Amino acid sequence: MFDCIIVGAGAAGGTAAYHLAKQGKSVLVLEKESLPRYKPCNGGVSPAIAQWFDFTLTPALSQKITKARLTWKMGDAVEVELSPSDSISVVQRDVFDHFLIQQAQKQGATLQDKTEVIGVEFKGERWQVNTNNGETFLARYLIAADGANGEMSKMLGLQEPKRRMAVALEVETSVPDNSTVHFEFGTLKNGYIWKFPKPNGYSLGITYFVGKEPKDLKKILTDYASQSGLELSQSQLYEYSLCLWDGDRKLHTENALLAGENAGIVDPFTAEGLRPSIFSGLKAAEAINQALDGSSDALEKYTQTIKEEWGVDMAWAQRLAGLFYRVPGIAYKVGVNLPGATNRMVQILCGEIRYSQVAERAIKRLSSKLIPGMG
Ligand SMILES: Cc1cc2nc3c(=O)[nH]c(=O)nc-3n(C[C@H](O)[C@H](O)[C@H](O)COP(=O)(O)OP(=O)(O)OC[C@H]3O[C@@H](n4cnc5c(N)ncnc54)[C@H](O)[C@@H]3O)c2cc1C
């Protein structure tokens, strides 16, 4: 009998496990894969996440990004130097997620990997968690942190997040410049391509943000990689779901919470998922800790906190995306090519400013280019 069972040992699950165990609560993490495991993800992560841990993340960070290079149809480049406080890190998800879980284990959390949760039942104020290898576990509370493809939201009777396709391409090659991230617009009309350096190559990703799923995201990404000079004989292509924020949702039910990507919290303008997943893992742990200590409305407040501290900004990001990816050519000229605009985007990623502070002005500026007189 545990205080809390956490389903999924990804970024959200590891964060929640660490913070709950640190508060002295008994925690069991169930993970279906064998750890460390690869998760299709390009691993770009905001420096803002450091504030949510009281240990250094340095051993789990593989590169520091100090420059961003943005292009429109592979030309018209804009280069931005990132200030030291704004330097984005790149993580290898097998290393990073395992590191978080190890920190949780040091605080007393129990991990059982190679164990898939196949069903949950709320019986007599306890969750009974059933696994694929026939074991059953009991806990007072449950955190579902099972990611974009997870089934836990459905099992808990909560709304499932909307899934869309994203593609990751991992290329093994020598990396002449390991401090620059590339963002390519225009090659995909309703989305963009990103390319992060990693220790032995590049990690590229693509997704779309508005309208219908493009016919061949994989081909668009591999064509871009080849055209940018990468040799693809040593490469791996992965398709994976991405759950962009699409409105606030109820994230709690009887003694259980959704955290991470299955809560549908990925930024609908940039596809950033790690920072919100970690943030929600932290907030889920705080809420369950309070509930265990007797607070009767802690879980309800968790839904409210995610709405106020993340959802409000995501609503702005969604409005911005609705405009930007419908007229990407104009948007690139107005939104990217202008001095200051890209820096503000970096500041948003770094958590220094919020969408709500700048998006309205950006939308007005963009709208005025489309409909003269609107700005
Ligand atoms: C192609 C691509 C590129 C991306 N690039 C970036 C990027 O550069 N930067 C960024 O910030 N975000 C990126 N993201 C988003 C980011 O990867 C996710 O938002 C993030 O991994 C979500 O973390 P999580 O902990 O919620 O879920 P996950 O990291 O997916 O972890 C969930 C875990 O739960 C386990 N699990 C699932 N079901 C069960 C079950 N029934 N029982 C037990 N275990 C279970 C899974 O095996 C998994 O280990 C990218 C996503 C994609 C698809």
Side-chain angles (χ1 to χ4, degrees):
M1 172 75 176
F2 291 86
D3 286 330
C4 184
I5 290 177
I6 298 174
V7 182
T15 304
Y18 173 78
H19 286 287
L20 265 177
K22 179 101 206 265
Q23 294 302 320
K25 304 299 191 276
S26 62
V27 175
L28 170 66
V29 182
L30 297 173
E31 165 58 52
K32 69 176 179 181
E33 304 290 340
S34 168
L35 294 188
R37 62 93 180 90
Y38 172 76
K39 147 82 175 73
C41 178
N42 307 105
V45 66
S46 163
I49 63 165
Q51 67 185 302
W52 299 320
F53 298 102
D54 56 2
F55 54 85
T56 174
L57 293 167
T58 306
L61 310 178
S62 57
Q63 327 271 135
K64 279 270 178 213
I65 300 294
T66 54
K67 204 195 280 180
R69 186 168 199 272
L70 299 93
T71 50
W72 171 258
K73 294 194 173 167
M74 302 190 77
D76 202 3
V78 174
E79 290 200 353
V80 185
E81 296 280 345
L82 309 184
S83 69
S85 62
D86 289 349
S87 66
I88 294 164
S89 294
V90 183
V91 299
Q92 310 269 75
R93 291 297 303 280
D94 49 351
V95 175
F96 182 76
D97 294 13
H98 197 212
F99 178 76
L100 289 185
I101 279 291
Q102 284 169 330
Q103 304 311 307
Q105 287 175 292
K106 280 187 199 161
Q107 297 296 331
T110 304
L111 165 73
Q112 185 166 317
D113 62 355
K114 291 177 264 177
T115 304
E116 182 178 358
V117 172
I118 54 165
V120 291
E121 292 164 71
F122 195 58
K123 289 182 177 172
E125 299 299 303
R126 280 151 183 65
W127 280 104
Q128 180 184 310
V129 176
N130 306 320
T131 67
N132 62 335
N133 43 30
E135 288 171 295
T136 291
F137 298 96
L138 291 176
R140 289 179 66 195
Y141 289 89
L142 198 58
I143 297 179
D146 53 336
N149 287 340
E151 300 274 309
M152 285 295 296
S153 48
K154 194 159 71 186
M155 288 187 213
L156 290 170
L158 291 166
Q159 188 190 347
E160 285 187 73
K162 275 193 194 154
R163 300 177 174 98
R164 65 181 56 224
M165 209 234 271
V167 178
L169 175 67
E170 307 285 0
V171 186
E172 267 186 48
T173 183
S174 62
V175 182
D177 173 6
N178 68 0
S179 59
T180 302
V181 58
H182 296 251
F183 297 112
E184 158 60 23
F185 297 87
T187 297
L188 174 66
K189 188 175 177 281
N190 56 354
Y192 78 106
I193 294 171
W194 54 98
K195 176 177 144 199
F196 284 98
K198 55 177 196 172
N200 305 313
Y202 288 99
S203 185
L204 294 90
I206 189 169
T207 198
Y208 65 103
F209 295 87
V210 295
K212 283 198 189 129
E213 181 173 314
K215 274 211 181 84
D216 203 349
L217 277 180
K218 283 183 180 171
K219 187 171 178 323
I220 297 170
L221 186 60
T222 48
D223 284 354
Y224 165 79
S226 302
Q227 280 162 28
S228 62
L230 294 179
E231 158 59 49
L232 300 187
S233 58
Q234 300 290 320
S235 67
Q236 297 268 11
L237 202 56
Y238 302 88
E239 247 180 56
Y240 208 81
S241 302
L242 197 61
C243 304
L244 301 185
W245 184 92
D246 186 33
D248 296 315
R249 58 186 65 225
K250 188 177 167 216
L251 303 177
H252 67 281
T253 182
E254 203 81 69
N255 289 25
L257 295 178
L258 300 183
E261 197 166 331
N262 75 358
I265 48 171
V266 174
D267 184 321
F269 184 53
T270 62
E272 182 195 15
L274 279 168
R275 178 167 57 124
S277 294
I278 290 169
F279 177 69
S280 67
L282 168 80
K283 293 292 160 188
E286 284 175 5
I288 300 251
N289 189 42
Q290 286 159 9
L292 282 162
D293 291 348
S295 163
S296 58
D297 60 353
L299 302 200
E300 205 176 319
K301 278 191 179 152
Y302 166 76
T303 293
Q304 193 60 23
T305 301
I306 298 298
K307 182 177 165 185
E308 285 165 8
E309 295 188 28
W310 187 249
V312 169
D313 281 298
M314 292 305 99
W316 280 111
Q318 193 183 48
R319 277 175 222 142
L320 202 53
L323 203 55
F324 190 98
Y325 295 110
R326 279 187 214 286
V327 285
I330 298 172
Y332 188 83
K333 279 202 182 70
V334 181
V336 175
N337 249 338
L338 262 185
T342 305
N343 278 323
R344 273 192 291 282
M345 204 51 231
V346 171
Q347 286 177 302
I348 288 176
L349 284 174
C350 294
E352 290 162 13
I353 55 173
R354 297 179 62 162
Y355 277 109
S356 46
Q357 292 169 263
V358 293
E360 191 168 6
R361 197 161 157 253
I363 288 169
K364 271 194 183 154
R365 188 189 280 262
L366 208 48
S367 306
S368 71
K369 298 287 163 189
L370 299 175
I371 313 163
M374 260 203 67

